[in-house]
């Protein structure tokens, strides 16, 4: 018998794909993501590794243990590791929009992200 997952939707997030190519069975996708003040990405994970650069704002990136695992302002780089064991959420706790430039390195044809349930944190 399966268990129903209850995804946590994003809120205040917009994104545009700037570039996309496939080489050697991997998709390389460059995406600009904007998270409005008070917004969040919702809980999710990725099938490949992501490399992110904070262009504007302050990041508050939480892991499945409900603790901030990455933080920083404009000019900060961070990595999101692949797999179901790396469920995370990005929240904008600041007063200005966060703008992130993100390079996705995914197996060809994979979705940009996979929805996940809240792992038990008292926030979404």
């Amino acid at each position: 018998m399966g268990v129903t997952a209850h995804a946590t939707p994003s809120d205040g997030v917009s994104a545009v794909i700037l570039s996309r190519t496939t080489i050697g069975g991997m998709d390389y996708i460059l995406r600009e993501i904007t998270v409005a003040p008070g917004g969040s990405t919702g809980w999710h994970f990725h099938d490949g590794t992501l490399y992110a650069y904070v262009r504007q704002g302050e990041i508050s990136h939480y892991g499945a243990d409900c603790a901030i695992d990455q933080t920083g302002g404009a000019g900060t780089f961070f990595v999101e590791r692949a797999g179901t064991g790396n469920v995370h959420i990005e929240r904008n706790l600041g007063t200005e929009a966060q703008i992130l430039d993100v390079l996705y390195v995914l197996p060809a044809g994979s979705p940009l992200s996979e929805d996940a349930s809240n792992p038990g944190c008292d926030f979404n």
Side-chain angles (χ1 to χ4, degrees):
M1 179 185 293
V3 175
T4 302
H6 299 285
T8 58
S10 65
D11 179 39
V13 177
S14 61
V16 69
I17 292 176
L18 304 174
S19 176
R20 177 191 299 247
T21 192
T22 302
I23 301 170
M26 299 297 287
D27 287 337
Y28 295 84
I29 302 165
L30 181 60
R31 193 173 182 219
E32 179 187 88
I33 301 171
T34 302
V35 183
S40 78
T41 60
W43 290 97
H44 65 281
F45 66 92
H46 306 281
D47 296 328
T49 302
L50 275 63
Y51 303 90
Y53 173 75
V54 180
R55 198 165 5 126
Q56 176 182 299
E58 294 280 330
I59 67 157
S60 296
H61 189 279
Y62 295 78
D65 62 357
C66 306
I68 291 179
D69 60 6
Q70 299 185 70
T71 188
T76 301
F77 287 94
F78 65 97
V79 175
E80 290 184 350
R81 306 225 182 282
T84 58
N86 292 300
V87 170
H88 58 273
I89 190 171
E90 167 65 27
R91 300 171 68 205
N92 184 348
L93 304 176
T95 58
E96 71 175 327
Q98 294 172 351
I99 301 176
L100 309 172
D101 292 321
V102 181
L103 176 63
Y104 294 69
V105 181
L106 304 168
S110 295
L112 294 175
S113 65
E114 305 264 6
D115 291 338
S117 296
N118 182 325
C121 304
D122 61 1
F123 55 86
N124 281 327

